Amino acid sequence: MTVLIVGGSGFLGTELVRQASAAGHLTAATFATRPVSSPEATWYDLDLRDGDRVEEVVSSLAPCMVINASSGSADWAATAEGSVRLAMTAAKHNCRLVHVSSDAVFSGTRAHYDESCLPDPVTPYGAAKAAAETGIRLLAPDAAIARTSLIIGGIQSEHVRLVHDLATDSRAGSLFTDDIRCPVHVGDLAAALLELASTDARGIHHLAGPDAVSRHALGVLIAHRDGLDASRLPKGLRAATALPGALDVRLDSRATQAKLRTRLRGVREFL
């Protein structure tokens, strides 16, 4: 059984490739800009903005499962249009699709969000992710869409790198005490996505940890785990800045968690 990991060179994608290969799946993965030589997968260059290339890769592999773990950023053509294009192509070739979305689709006005909550993004990235969700639900209704939060692991995680840089004065900035999320461990998330892909679940699912913490509290936990001086981590208030984005977004993952064997640990446990 072939599993295709789109965005396989990224932080989450790398873990998906590792776990899929370890489970005995014939694993294919894509990269957008940086070639990868990992023997755990067969690698393909893929730009989701290139419809012909999307069709070529999917049709040639005929994978049973496609997991779209591409980051995309705020690039509308890649994150919104490209993700919908991939979903349509997967549906055309009868491939099971799991699309990874984000808590950035929410504004934070209500803090607690379960799977029934409608997107109300306040950033270009959130808007692109929300548009992808809408297009996929309309044009590939059998697909599963998995919203997640801050993805934590080792130094490869951007959030962990930031804490290390701030604690060693390698980067300026601060960690906000009023910016709340529900972090998830990359290993737990990858396992949950692969399990979700093996089911016939469709529609929206939340895959985040049960603990809601501020960016600063998260930084303190990372610092303690990694032997850094947490007192060196600068604090700040996001509300006092001009930075766009939601303040308090807590994904309620209990409904999805109840359907899965994979347990999504809270950040206070895995750190």
Side-chain angles (χ1 to χ4, degrees), residues 175-249:
L175 296 174
F176 300 127
T177 58
D178 59 346
D179 189 333
I180 312 295
R181 296 295 187 273
C182 293
V184 64
H185 191 277
V186 65
D188 296 349
L189 178 58
L193 289 167
L194 286 165
E195 182 181 348
L196 190 63
S198 70
T199 73
D200 59 359
R202 54 192 290 180
I204 301 294
H205 303 272
H206 284 182
L207 295 177
D211 296 340
V213 295
S214 71
R215 301 264 184 171
H216 183 266
L218 172 63
V220 169
L221 288 169
I222 292 170
H224 287 163
R225 181 196 67 177
D226 295 350
L228 302 171
D229 184 356
S231 68
R232 296 178 61 86
L233 297 175
K235 296 180 181 179
L237 289 173
R238 185 166 187 161
T241 75
L243 292 173
L247 288 180
D248 192 342
V249 178

Side-chain angles (χ1 to χ4, degrees), residues 66-202:
V66 178
I67 300 179
N68 182 11
S70 59
S71 57
S73 70
D75 185 330
W76 186 272
T79 302
E81 296 173 359
S83 294
V84 174
R85 182 179 296 112
L86 174 64
M88 292 174 63
T89 305
K92 173 184 174 183
H93 294 282
N94 296 313
C95 305
R96 168 70 170 149
L97 173 70
V98 174
H99 172 80
V100 181
S101 190
S102 166
D103 58 10
V105 301
F106 295 122
S107 68
T109 55
R110 59 179 295 164
H112 297 274
Y113 294 89
D114 63 20
E115 287 88 345
S116 68
C117 295
L118 297 178
D120 59 342
V122 292
T123 64
Y125 173 67
K129 281 292 193 181
E133 289 187 8
T134 300
I136 292 168
R137 296 190 73 181
L138 177 65
L139 299 170
D142 290 334
I145 296 168
R147 295 179 183 138
T148 192
S149 189
L150 306 183
I151 307 174
I152 308 300
I155 196 64
Q156 297 84 3
S157 165
E158 62 177 298
H159 311 293
V160 174
R161 285 199 306 272
L162 173 61
V163 171
H164 279 244
D165 288 348
L166 291 174
T168 56
D169 294 323
S170 300
R171 192 190 318 190
S174 60
L175 296 174
F176 300 127
T177 58
D178 59 346
D179 189 333
I180 312 295
R181 296 295 187 273
C182 293
V184 64
H185 191 277
V186 65
D188 296 349
L189 178 58
L193 289 167
L194 286 165
E195 182 181 348
L196 190 63
S198 70
T199 73
D200 59 359
R202 54 192 290 180

